[in-house]
Amino acid sequence: MSRPADTVGRLLVRCPDRFGIVAAVSSFLSASGANILSLDQHATATYGGTYFQRTEFALPSRDLDGLRAAFASDVARHFGMDFTVTDAAAPKRIGVLVSKSDHCLLDLLWRTQRGELDVEVAVVISNHPDLAPAVGSFGVPFVHVPVTPETKPEAEARQAELLAGVDLVVLARYMQIVSGSLLAAVGSPMINIHHSFLPAFVGAVPYRQAKERGVKLVGATAHYVTEELDQGPIIEQDVVRVNHRHSAADLTRLGADVERSVLSRAVRWHCEDRVMRDGNTTVVL
Ligand SMILES: Nc1nc2c(c(=O)[nH]1)N[C@@H](CN(C=O)c1ccc(C(=O)N[C@@H](CCC(=O)O)C(=O)O)cc1)CN2
């Protein structure tokens, strides 16, 4: 009878930089019977900065829990590491918040259905009912949770209930500001797709601002959500050329393609455990 396939693990490490980190992590993995498949790293300075490392490894014992506990005591504590150990074969469960714009949501659902994104969309929540049929066609639960200034606390309590247990929340052109209490209640990272090349044109209507400014590029930014609007750590960005002949509607149309590709790359990189926070920025390995 053939041996069960090895577990493939991912080890993410962030710590104060010093000599000996790579040797200690590699020796630990080797002593644990793991075979390193890939290793990427970044130091923020020649000496004394912050060190980031992403290591993928094959683990014949398949005991990721045991490896995680041993790494904590044998290595992480000594180097003052923040770290995670995840199973590469376990798809992330994501919840999506959306309003009326469908292009980013449908792109995520389509890529997931095609197997391009290794995620499980657990639920789509919208403050409008419009997208229920489209979401239903993908066999994904859709919940309409209306949001008004008066009902926002109750609405966010319901959203938190529906998002319990997800690994990631994606704001796919969700046009409501998420409160600090919802961020705290959910506890999982949130990624927003902002429809401009931040830091330009924050707020709700960036394409109108872009047209009025006469820009020659429009873009999109995927960033982690913080309480402060559009100020969270940037994960991915891109742009497309535009000119004076394009109306605001043209900018919106041209920008939508960029939004979709930027969001899908950001969600993929996050779910592949490639993104680490460095203050209000990110390191993507
Ligand atoms: N806490 C955060 N919430 C949200 C963020 C964020 O970065 N932090 N990004 C926005 C998305 N967004 C732009 O990409 C955006 C959406 C909505 C508005 C806005 O002003 N909307 C309403 C007000 C709604 C409310 O008060 O809840 C309005 O148009 O008046 C600005 C930017 C998603 N949420």
Side-chain angles (χ1 to χ4, degrees):
M1 188 173 81
S2 61
R3 182 168 64 87
D6 293 3
T7 292
V8 175
R10 293 180 185 139
L11 169 63
L12 292 189
V13 164
R14 179 184 59 212
C15 63
D17 194 11
R18 53 183 279 190
F19 287 104
I21 298 171
V22 176
V25 172
S26 304
S27 302
F28 171 84
L29 289 173
S30 172
S32 304
N35 185 44
I36 292 175
L37 304 174
S38 69
L39 191 156
D40 299 280
Q41 64 210 95
H42 172 67
T44 60
T46 305
Y47 298 101
T50 304
Y51 179 79
F52 300 82
Q53 182 171 310
R54 178 184 187 272
T55 311
E56 277 202 351
F57 55 89
L59 188 65
S61 73
R62 303 164 62 81
D63 181 12
L64 276 183
D65 292 340
L67 182 140
R68 186 184 297 108
F71 187 81
S73 59
D74 301 356
V75 183
R77 188 169 52 191
H78 176 71
F79 287 93
M81 291 174 173
D82 297 317
F83 77 99
T84 59
V85 175
T86 57
D87 182 346
K92 302 288 195 288
R93 294 184 76 246
I94 69 173
V96 184
L97 295 182
V98 68
S99 290
K100 287 187 173 181
S101 295
D102 61 356
H103 56 288
C104 290
L105 166 67
L106 295 183
D107 186 81
L108 287 177
L109 292 174
W110 182 71
R111 291 180 193 268
T112 303
Q113 188 177 73
R114 284 170 53 84
E116 285 183 29
L117 266 184
D118 185 18
V119 299
E120 178 200 338
V121 181
V123 63
V124 173
I125 306 168
S126 179
N127 55 322
H128 298 281
D130 306 49
L131 298 178
V135 173
S137 72
F138 286 89
V140 172
F142 177 94
V143 184
H144 175 208
V145 181
V147 181
T148 67
E150 299 72 29
T151 66
K152 193 159 187 173
E154 294 78 10
E156 289 199 331
R158 176 65 176 141
Q159 289 171 335
E161 201 176 275
L162 291 164
L163 294 169
V166 302
D167 300 303
L168 172 68
V169 179
V170 176
L171 308 187
R173 292 298 304 277
Y174 180 64
M175 298 310 283
Q176 294 291 324
I177 297 171
V178 171
S179 72
S181 53
L182 178 57
L183 281 166
V186 170
S188 301
M190 285 192 188
I191 293 176
N192 177 58
I193 182 68
H194 180 73
H195 37 315
S196 82
F197 190 76
L198 289 176
F201 309 136
V202 298
V205 286
Y207 290 127
R208 186 191 310 158
Q209 299 175 64
K211 179 60 183 172
E212 288 163 3
R213 185 68 184 81
V215 299
K216 304 306 179 186
L217 295 169
V218 294
T221 302
H223 64 90
Y224 287 113
V225 174
T226 58
E227 197 164 354
E228 198 180 355
L229 193 60
D230 302 329
Q231 301 300 317
I234 291 171
I235 304 166
E236 172 61 330
Q237 298 184 289
D238 206 344
V239 294
V240 63
R241 295 199 63 80
V242 295
N243 61 50
H244 57 280
R245 294 186 179 84
H246 290 132
S247 67
D250 291 326
L251 300 190
T252 301
R253 171 177 53 79
L254 291 164
D257 286 344
V258 183
E259 294 167 44
R260 293 205 305 250
S261 59
V262 166
L263 180 59
S264 65
R265 288 200 294 272
V267 170
R268 177 196 308 281
W269 293 344
H270 177 92
C271 294
E272 290 177 349
D273 303 301
R274 295 183 182 278
V275 189
M276 286 183 266
R277 308 280 185 96
D278 181 19
N280 199 44
T281 69
T282 65
V283 170
V284 182
L285 294 175

